[in-house]
Amino acid sequence: MSLVSRRTVLALAAGGAAASAMPQAAQARSAARSAPFRLTLPEPTGRYPIGTTALHLTDAARKDPWTPVVRRELMVSVWYPAFPVGPRAPYAPSRSAGPLAADVSGTLGLPAGSIDYAGTPTHAHADAPALGHHPVVLYSPGAGTSRILGTHHVEDLASRGYVVVAIDHTGEAPVEFPGGRVAPVVADSNNPRRTVAVRVADIRFVLDSLADLAESEEAPGRLARALDLRRIGMLGYSQGGFAAAETMLQDHRIRAGVNLDGTLQYGFPDGELSESAKQGIDRPFLLFGAQGHAHVPNPESPLNDPSWTSFWNAQSGWKLDLEIPTGTHGSFADYQFSVPAIAAKFGLPPAQIAGLLGTVDPAASIRAQRAYLGAFFDQFLRKQPQPLLRRASPKYPQVIFHP
């Protein structure tokens, strides 16, 4: 089935992680010669069962910036409150799962084929009928990574009553399209200015596509009725958080945004400040960092980020700066649950995992992040005041507030 409207082509597709660089553990190679390991995702905390479907979007008005002979194509996964019917969707589609998992296993020093992303089930029912009418949250992953690396966040938000749209930025990581075609990595990773600009254009196109979908009589599984496009937020990890801020500066359809540990400048630690860092945003925005990454200037720290300091000083909308000081950059993606499980399975040394994710308790880190993200979107998309956002909570001692 396909839908055609205005500048957008949408098609139903199969559901659909690349990892950032991690140190290897050569001593674990021989331990991995067994059946591929399937992950177990953290249970969502909300009251709704969830469904997911994938959409193939083609921007008829834009050439692909990395492969200009074709139109820009994207894959997005939509996660939503749903009737609990049908099979569980896989963590990754079959043909892209191998290279995505190999990126993680290889950097951990494990042989290719050690981890089974395609056989790992999510908590979402594939293509299940949507239930209700809900605010929408967009998700953009880190630079060079897949949309699936935010699955534990998007599942939890969907279970709390949000429609979450996770975006793959084609060319940055392997992306599987309908029919099994896998788009390769072709983006220029050394040009963050261009990469962020492409992401902003992608995100705005997705917003247009959702508007088309909401008006379509052919939308799958009651999805059109589920989209409340008057209440849109955005969540981004690393460069996805950078893209969220830049998009909000240009597009007022997004009412509230979150940056998970992403710099707001073109190059780190040195680089030109972005427009969002210089100007701030006139709507609510949450900075959520790790291991000393905060808006408070600290020239002695290798994580001192002038872009966060500039953004904080320029921000005219509501703002909050949170930190998990015993976590690392990887703590804000699915690595937080997947890497400890892989380490336990294959006997990787604890010091190696601490180097990747810090010393924060993985389960406690996930609980805290979910609580604060849920509270943020509840307050600014549902207008439900949240005491959790006012001061540090003894319930989540992993998180500190930066005034």
Side-chain angles (χ1 to χ4, degrees):
M1 174 191 291
S2 64
L3 313 173
V4 182
S5 55
R6 297 202 292 274
R7 59 186 289 232
T8 309
V9 179
L10 302 93
L12 293 183
S20 54
M22 302 176 186
Q24 295 192 354
Q27 67 270 32
R29 295 179 190 275
S30 60
R33 307 185 193 283
S34 57
F37 178 56
R38 294 179 176 179
L39 302 172
T40 300
L41 276 68
E43 288 281 346
T45 60
R47 63 188 181 92
Y48 292 100
I50 60 176
T52 187
T53 193
L55 299 176
H56 174 200
L57 310 178
T58 302
D59 189 345
R62 184 167 52 128
K63 291 182 178 180
D64 188 280
W66 314 116
T67 312
V69 295
V70 299
R71 299 287 108 182
R72 183 63 168 167
E73 293 180 273
L74 301 175
M75 289 300 299
V76 303
S77 295
V78 187
W79 305 73
Y80 48 88
F83 292 95
V85 296
R88 296 292 177 92
Y91 187 58
S94 58
R95 295 198 179 181
S96 61
L100 292 174
D103 203 11
V104 174
S105 59
T107 52
L108 286 171
L110 303 173
S114 299
I115 304 165
D116 184 4
Y117 276 1
T120 293
T122 66
H123 295 98
H125 298 269
D127 303 319
L131 175 66
H133 186 62
H134 307 281
V136 174
V137 176
L138 306 180
Y139 174 79
S140 181
T145 67
S146 167
R147 71 190 190 272
I148 74 167
L149 276 183
T151 299
H152 91 270
H153 280 316
V154 301
E155 280 200 336
D156 192 65
L157 286 169
S159 78
R160 291 170 179 258
Y162 292 92
V163 176
V164 188
V165 182
I167 305 168
D168 254 336
H169 300 283
T170 311
E172 291 196 38
V175 180
E176 184 170 333
F177 286 94
R181 171 172 58 97
V182 178
V185 177
V186 293
D188 182 1
S189 60
N190 295 316
N191 191 341
R193 179 180 292 277
R194 187 179 182 196
T195 303
V196 171
V198 170
R199 282 175 172 243
V200 170
D202 287 347
I203 294 161
R204 300 190 72 182
F205 168 62
V206 169
L207 288 170
D208 293 341
S209 300
L210 294 175
D212 291 349
L213 184 65
E215 296 174 2
S216 172
E217 296 180 357
E218 300 180 58
R222 307 181 186 178
L223 198 53
R225 284 181 285 174
L227 298 167
D228 183 352
L229 298 179
R230 299 168 303 171
R231 299 182 290 172
I232 299 174
M234 184 163 181
L235 167 69
Y237 165 58
S238 192
Q239 193 169 87
F242 188 170
E246 289 293 287
T247 305
M248 287 183 69
L249 198 61
Q250 300 181 32
D251 200 317
H252 278 68
R253 286 177 291 184
I254 302 173
R255 295 174 52 177
V258 179
N259 176 2
L260 298 178
D261 211 42
T263 188
L264 298 174
Q265 61 191 47
Y266 298 106
F268 187 83
D270 300 312
E272 183 182 350
L273 296 180
S274 66
E275 289 305 308
S276 59
K278 295 174 185 176
Q279 300 179 37
I281 298 168
D282 61 0
R283 280 148 288 150
F285 203 83
L286 169 64
L287 299 173
F288 206 158
Q291 208 177 45
H293 190 192
H295 78 274
V296 181
N298 184 5
E300 304 303 317
S301 170
L303 294 176
N304 182 59
D305 190 341
S307 71
W308 277 32
T309 303
S310 178
F311 176 87
W312 187 263
N313 292 334
Q315 172 71 354
S316 59
W318 182 98
K319 60 189 178 182
L320 179 62
D321 183 356
L322 303 175
E323 181 192 346
I324 301 179
T326 54
T328 68
H329 189 62
S331 298
F332 291 100
D334 281 5
Y335 307 127
Q336 184 69 98
F337 76 83
S338 66
V339 170
I342 294 166
K345 169 66 176 178
F346 296 109
L348 302 180
Q352 181 183 4
I353 307 311
L356 300 176
L357 298 173
T359 58
V360 66
D361 176 77
S365 175
I366 288 170
R367 284 195 300 271
Q369 291 180 54
R370 287 173 160 186
Y372 281 101
L373 293 176
F376 176 81
F377 288 119
D378 282 352
Q379 177 157 314
F380 295 109
L381 297 186
R382 290 198 170 107
K383 298 184 178 179
Q384 299 172 354
Q386 300 291 314
L388 186 62
L389 301 180
R390 298 173 190 163
R391 62 186 66 88
S393 169
K395 189 174 181 180
Y396 304 108
Q398 304 79 14
V399 178
I400 62 174
F401 276 52
H402 287 288

